[in-house]
Amino acid sequence: MQHCIFPLIHCKSTDYHVYELTQNKHPFYMKKVLLAGATGHLGRHIFRELKQQGYEVRVLARNLKKAQSLFPDPEELVLADATKPQELEGCCAGVEVVISALGKNLSLRHKGIGSFHDINYEANLHLLQEAEQAGVQQFVYISAFGAGQFPQLAYFDAHADFEKALRYSSLTHTILKPVALFSMLEEMAIMARKGHIGQLGQGDRLINPIYDGDVAGFAVSCIGSPSQTLELGGPATYTRQELAQLVCEAASYSGRVTEIPLDYVETLLPFVRLLSRNLYDKLAFMAAVSKTDCVAPTVGQFSLEAYFELEPQLSN
C-alpha cells in the first residue's frame, strides 16, 4: 500500500480542501462512498464498517482534528460545513454512494450552534442537492424511529422533512430509522457516576435500543439495494426504569434514581423556550418520547448488557 498526504482538489469558489490520505488498490471494483457525519459515535462505526469491507471512503467533516482521529485513514477528506452550500460544491464528484449520519447532537451537554432544522434538514438537503448534481447513484440516510409521528417536535420534524425530500429526489434512497442508540445512553452513565441520574416520569414505557455497530452494518449492507425504508430495533426491550437500572449498574452507582414528574417538565418548557430554543427542543423531545413506547422491529444482535460488559440480569 502506498501512503501519501497531499492536497488533491481545491474546489472553485470554495475554501475547503479534499486531501488524499491513502491509496488502496483492490483486486475487485468497489464503489467510492462519501460519508457525512463520520466523526460522531454512529459515523465512526459506519466508517470502520466501510473500511473493513474494502470501500474507498471520502469523509466529509468540519473539524480537521476530529477527522484525523479516524482509524484507519480515509482515502480522502473533505473539510466543509454542510450548512453552507457553497462549501459543498464539487464534494460528490466521482462518488457513487453518499451515506449521511449528519445530525445535531441530542446531548444536553453539547453546546453546538445550529438548530435541528439547520443541521438535520438543511445541511442534509444541501448535500442531497450536490449529490444529484454530481450524478450520485444512491443516498443512505440515518433518520430516527418516530420521525413523521411528532410534527410538533423539531428533532423529528427535521428528520421527516428530509426524508420527504430524499424520497422525491432522483436518487435511489435508503432510509434507516433506528430507535435510541446505545451510545446515547453513555450520557446517563456519566450522570450516574456523578450521582445525578434521573428519569422522566414513572419509567414504565418500553424501548428497544440498538447498538451503533448494528446500524452501521445495515447502512453498509444496503449499498446497491433498491430504495427502501427500514425501522431498526435492538434484541431486547426494556422499560425506561429497567434501562436506568442497567445504566446505573454499568456506572457502579447504587444510589437512588430520581423520578422527575413529566407535568413539572412540561410546565417549565414554555419558559425554557424563552431562554434557549436549543435546550427547549431537546427537552421537548425527551419529554415526548418518555410518554411513548418506542419499539421497532428487532434486527440488532449485540446486547446492551454486552455493550456495558455486564451479564444479563434484568427480567424479560
Side-chain angles (χ1 to χ4, degrees), residues 2-313:
Q2 180 184 2
H3 295 272
C4 47
I5 304 178
F6 58 88
L8 180 65
I9 301 173
H10 295 268
C11 292
K12 60 181 180 180
S13 74
T14 68
D15 56 2
Y16 82 74
H17 307 288
V18 180
Y19 299 93
E20 183 171 347
L21 301 180
T22 62
Q23 190 177 42
N24 294 323
K25 301 296 184 181
H26 299 292
F28 52 90
Y29 173 75
M30 296 297 287
K31 295 179 183 293
K32 178 181 283 190
V33 179
L34 183 140
L35 174 60
T39 60
H41 284 289
L42 176 57
R44 289 178 181 274
H45 283 277
I46 297 173
F47 175 73
R48 285 194 291 267
E49 186 72 21
L50 286 167
K51 295 294 288 184
Q52 287 172 3
Q53 296 199 28
Y55 286 95
E56 185 177 348
V57 184
R58 179 184 295 173
V59 162
L60 173 65
R62 287 191 307 169
N63 187 297
L64 178 60
K65 185 175 181 180
K66 288 183 178 180
Q68 288 176 328
S69 70
L70 293 171
F71 182 83
D73 290 333
E75 279 74 16
E76 296 174 1
L77 170 60
V78 177
L79 292 178
D81 183 347
T83 65
K84 301 175 181 178
Q86 68 276 12
E87 292 192 12
L88 292 179
E89 187 177 346
C91 73
C92 292
V95 167
E96 291 146 297
V97 179
V98 170
I99 300 178
S100 180
L102 186 63
K104 183 176 176 63
N105 196 317
L106 272 167
S107 170
L108 295 178
R109 297 184 301 119
H110 188 263
K111 305 301 181 182
I113 61 174
S115 66
F116 288 118
H117 180 81
D118 295 336
I119 300 173
N120 296 51
Y121 173 64
E122 287 195 348
N124 279 296
L125 184 63
H126 298 156
L127 184 58
L128 173 61
Q129 291 167 343
E130 188 63 34
E132 286 192 288
Q133 291 177 11
V136 168
Q137 298 171 3
Q138 182 180 9
F139 198 112
V140 180
Y141 177 58
I142 313 300
S143 183
F145 181 77
Q149 300 178 24
F150 300 89
Q152 76 279 14
L153 299 175
Y155 174 73
F156 285 127
D157 192 47
H159 277 301
D161 284 348
F162 182 71
E163 285 185 22
K164 183 177 180 179
L166 182 55
R167 290 191 179 100
Y168 278 102
S169 75
S170 61
L171 277 61
T172 298
H173 61 266
T174 300
I175 299 171
L176 301 181
K177 301 164 75 77
V179 187
L181 302 173
F182 285 4
S183 60
M184 295 176 66
L185 301 173
E186 291 178 3
E187 182 169 10
M188 290 179 63
I190 292 172
M191 297 303 293
R193 293 186 187 100
K194 296 179 180 179
H196 301 305
I197 188 170
Q199 68 181 31
L200 294 177
Q202 297 179 350
D204 56 343
R205 294 300 184 175
L206 301 175
I207 188 169
N208 62 329
I210 186 169
Y211 176 48
D212 305 55
D214 284 334
V215 176
F218 276 97
V220 177
S221 69
C222 287
I223 292 176
S225 298
S227 293
Q228 59 185 323
T229 299
L230 300 173
E231 296 180 332
L232 310 177
T237 299
Y238 309 89
T239 65
R240 307 304 170 94
Q241 186 176 46
E242 289 173 329
L243 203 58
Q245 291 171 350
L246 184 57
V247 170
C248 287
E249 187 173 350
S252 300
Y253 173 71
S254 58
R256 180 171 174 263
V257 177
T258 303
E259 180 182 326
I260 305 171
L262 280 169
D263 290 344
Y264 175 74
V265 175
E266 291 172 341
T267 300
L268 289 177
L269 279 176
F271 301 99
V272 173
R273 183 170 184 166
L274 293 175
L275 298 173
S276 170
R277 181 57 189 262
N278 177 50
L279 180 59
Y280 167 81
D281 286 340
K282 292 181 179 182
L283 287 175
F285 161 79
M286 293 176 183
V289 298
S290 295
K291 298 187 294 183
T292 307
D293 289 338
C294 299
V295 181
T298 299
V299 294
Q301 298 182 353
F302 196 68
S303 72
L304 186 58
E305 288 82 5
Y307 180 77
F308 283 132
E309 297 182 347
L310 297 172
E311 294 295 325
Q313 296 183 24

